[in-house]
Amino acid sequence: MDLIIKNGTLVDSIRCYQANLAIAEGKIRAIFLGNKNYKAEKVVDAEKKMVFPGLVDSHVHFQLQDMGKIISTDNFASGTKAAACGGVTTIIDFADQMRGESPLKSFYERKKDADSQVAIDYSLHVSKTDTKFLDEIPTLISEGVTSFKFFTTYSWRNLDLDDAELLVLFREVKKCRGMVMGHCENDDMVIRNINSLIQAGKTDPIFHAHSRPHIAEEEAIQRVLLFTKKTGVKLHLAHLTTKEGSDLLSQAKKQGLNVTGETCPHYLLLNEREYKGSEGYLNLMSPPLRHAKDQQALMKRVQDGTIDQIITDHCEFSRKSKGDGNFPFHQVLNGIPGIETSLPLMHDFLINKQKLTYPQLISLMSTKPAQIFGLYPQKGSLMVGTDADLVIFDPNVERTITPEILHYSIDWNPYSGLKVEGWPVMTILRGKILYEKGNFVGPHNKGKFLKCSIR
Ligand code: URP
Ligand code: ZN
Ligand code: ZN
């Protein structure tokens, strides 16, 4: 064997149990108790530690492009290294179709960019920004893209689809047996609010939240659920932020619609108050942070399994690129970092404070994302024959989050100063150690593209 991990508590989405793992050629070869006399090049003692399947963060934006220009601070190399240091071994990023151009071309270009840089395994969603090139969907599916992202807003960035286009896309994706994934906010409401707030001189970060009210999310989700019902397409709702949105997800599931949903650590842990103060501009993302009642409602929906997964929507910007606090809210780039802190934050919040179980945590952050997008059981499981992607996690170590202890390329963090109990101590990708004792120690670009399959 190449590696034995002994004395740890293994956790998958079903149970926690004491066992040892034997790994060879990148795969889990045996899960066993006692001493099987395996010869191994390296033995790791995980006593008093938990062993999780590597996290699958199925919604991230590394080297985000806006109309073809890279605008975010990290790239696939720095982003995936930070991810590995946070226990994430698989990401799904996005190839955004440039309106009027071929989505297949965007996919091949994005894949080429990522292939030479990624430290962990990855796949891609493809964002559709018009109804041209629908004939490329079958090829994209055969290339391993299962999910087609749509936006109901961001018309000013040429990203949105109107209702007629949404219906066309949904029908086509259903026909090709793919799925759609939606960023749902009502564009007319958002645009009108932005214009009137700016005209009234209301430019502070808090007005970002006012410009994108609850009803904008609720209305757009309700509309796309109707289109889902009419077309029968499988729908995934991206980054739910409101009580109303999560209630709609719950009702849709009860009606038997083929729909899943996600939220992010920041919508559970932070609220609108973060927009006050001189650093409020840093926390601008869309949809925005909400109210305490929404945090509680989302938590309830995480607890009862309505919300299927927790992902980060990681999108990293420096202070400078966010305008150093000098821009009106509508000109501040949207997005916050999150990939390296999601596991310790969610462990501390969901397990230590909200008393969820370890299998629930692993289901939310590893198994379900792999299942929904078609990477399971290769990813998101601890089973003989699957990829040896693992996180060794110390539930007892205490850390205070600061930018200095992280591997991001920026000097700020939304959770700076927050103390958490529990931190990853080792991350392993296909049997190779990537992160150990606070440092990235692995090969820099040995991540692989993963073909998703939901058939
Ligand atoms: O505010 C968010 N969610 N930023 C991520 C990148 C984008 O524009 O969707
Ligand atoms: Zn989005
Ligand atoms: Zn996003």
Side-chain angles (χ1 to χ4, degrees):
M1 297 290 169
D2 300 326
L3 179 64
I4 300 271
I5 298 172
K6 61 174 194 182
N7 301 327
T9 302
L10 271 48
V11 185
D12 62 20
S13 62
I14 313 279
R15 64 190 176 131
C16 304
Y17 58 108
Q18 286 295 127
N20 306 321
L21 286 169
I23 293 157
E25 289 163 2
K27 304 275 183 201
I28 298 176
R29 298 296 174 189
I31 300 178
F32 60 100
L33 277 172
N35 184 359
K36 292 270 186 228
N37 290 325
Y38 289 122
K39 287 207 170 56
E41 274 177 33
K42 187 172 169 73
V43 177
V44 171
D45 190 347
E47 196 176 358
K48 298 204 177 114
K49 311 221 171 38
M50 327 289 291
V51 181
F52 303 150
L55 299 197
V56 178
D57 191 339
S58 62
H59 185 156
V60 304
H61 306 270
F62 294 140
Q63 62 182 63
L64 179 77
Q65 301 190 0
D66 187 26
M67 311 224 198
K69 185 170 156 274
I70 295 177
I71 54 168
S72 69
T73 314
D74 53 14
N75 56 23
F76 280 108
S78 63
T80 53
K81 270 188 241 167
C85 299
V88 178
T89 51
T90 300
I91 49 147
I92 313 185
D93 203 299
F94 296 82
D96 297 325
Q97 175 201 9
M98 295 277 280
R99 187 171 282 171
E101 293 184 18
S102 153
L104 197 56
K105 177 170 164 269
S106 305
F107 167 75
Y108 286 136
E109 284 174 1
R110 191 84 171 143
K111 184 170 175 303
K112 190 162 165 246
D113 259 0
D115 277 340
S116 57
Q117 300 186 58
V118 283
I120 61 174
D121 289 353
Y122 81 102
S123 194
L124 292 167
H125 311 282
V126 166
S127 307
K128 283 289 292 147
T129 55
D130 61 27
T131 46
K132 299 203 175 78
F133 300 100
L134 291 175
D135 56 339
E136 291 184 354
I137 289 177
T139 313
L140 284 162
I141 290 180
S142 67
E143 291 284 359
V145 174
T146 48
S147 41
F148 295 87
K149 170 104 179 267
F150 64 87
F151 296 87
T152 61
T153 187
Y154 288 136
S155 53
W156 58 96
R157 285 169 60 193
N158 287 341
L159 291 175
D160 67 313
L161 295 184
D162 67 25
D163 292 353
E165 290 171 323
L166 285 174
L167 265 174
V168 169
L169 178 70
F170 284 20
R171 284 196 188 111
E172 197 60 28
V173 171
K174 164 74 182 167
K175 199 172 88 195
C176 300
R177 296 157 78 194
M179 62 183 286
V180 291
M181 167 181 186
H183 175 130
C184 299
E185 290 180 285
N186 179 303
D187 196 56
D188 289 343
M189 291 181 199
V190 171
I191 290 184
R192 190 182 172 91
N193 291 338
I194 292 175
N195 288 341
S196 59
L197 286 161
I198 294 298
Q199 264 172 26
K202 296 182 170 176
T203 58
D204 288 350
I206 185 65
F207 296 113
H208 171 70
H210 294 192
S211 73
R212 309 180 90 111
H214 289 60
I215 192 171
E217 178 168 288
E218 186 179 4
E219 189 284 329
I221 290 178
Q222 194 164 297
R223 184 159 31 103
V224 303
L225 283 172
L226 175 65
F227 298 166
T228 304
K229 195 170 170 180
K230 296 292 176 192
T231 59
V233 75
K234 178 171 153 58
L235 167 73
H236 181 73
L237 293 169
H239 45 48
L240 290 165
T241 67
T242 58
K243 175 179 186 312
E244 292 82 352
S246 60
D247 286 350
L248 284 169
L249 173 62
S250 171
Q251 286 160 24
K253 285 188 167 187
K254 283 185 187 138
Q255 286 170 18
L257 293 195
N258 200 352
V259 54
T260 50
E262 64 187 31
T263 192
C264 310
H266 43 277
Y267 298 123
L268 293 168
L269 297 175
L270 308 175
N271 62 41
E272 246 190 35
R273 284 201 306 262
E274 302 296 326
Y275 293 132
K276 304 273 163 122
S278 62
E279 305 235 301
Y281 72 101
L282 293 173
N283 290 314
L284 257 68
M285 81 290 288
S286 291
L289 299 173
R290 304 291 186 183
H291 305 153
K293 83 160 173 50
D294 299 293
Q295 291 175 277
Q296 284 152 18
L298 291 173
M299 187 53 234
K300 180 173 155 250
R301 297 302 184 189
V302 167
Q303 175 96 49
D304 72 13
T306 301
I307 291 181
D308 300 273
Q309 58 176 57
I310 294 181
I311 48 70
T312 62
D313 198 6
H314 174 97
C315 190
E316 186 176 300
F317 296 110
S318 64
R319 290 172 193 275
K320 186 162 177 277
S321 56
K322 277 194 172 253
D324 274 325
N326 300 319
F327 289 174
F329 74 84
H330 68 306
Q331 285 174 4
V332 178
L333 292 172
N334 282 200
I336 63 168
I339 203 156
E340 194 175 347
T341 48
S342 63
L343 177 57
L345 283 168
M346 289 296 93
H347 171 266
D348 192 60
F349 181 63
L350 297 180
I351 297 211
N352 295 349
K353 303 210 165 67
Q354 299 289 331
K355 306 299 175 201
L356 264 67
T357 64
Y358 277 98
Q360 277 178 298
L361 179 78
I362 294 313
S363 174
L364 286 158
M365 301 189 77
S366 180
T367 307
K368 277 289 193 83
Q371 287 173 335
I372 288 169
F373 296 106
L375 293 170
Y376 185 85
Q378 182 186 1
K379 305 296 184 186
S381 73
L382 288 184
M383 285 188 231
V384 172
T386 64
D387 284 357
D389 293 354
L390 305 162
V391 193
I392 303 183
F393 189 84
D394 185 343
N396 298 312
V397 65
E398 211 173 73
R399 285 282 153 82
T400 301
I401 295 177
T402 61
E404 292 74 36
I405 68 164
L406 301 174
H407 300 76
Y408 293 140
S409 39
I410 51 173
D411 67 351
W412 66 277
N413 187 276
Y415 308 97
S416 234
L418 189 73
K419 211 181 263 181
V420 290
E421 206 175 304
W423 201 265
V425 290
M426 185 179 282
T427 306
I428 296 165
L429 174 76
R430 286 182 273 106
K432 294 268 179 301
I433 298 174
L434 292 190
Y435 160 81
E436 190 174 12
K437 297 189 195 116
N439 296 309
F440 184 83
V441 296
H444 289 258
N445 57 359
K446 292 282 185 281
K448 283 190 185 155
F449 177 75
L450 302 164
K451 283 188 164 194
C452 294
S453 169
I454 55 172
R455 280 149 205 246

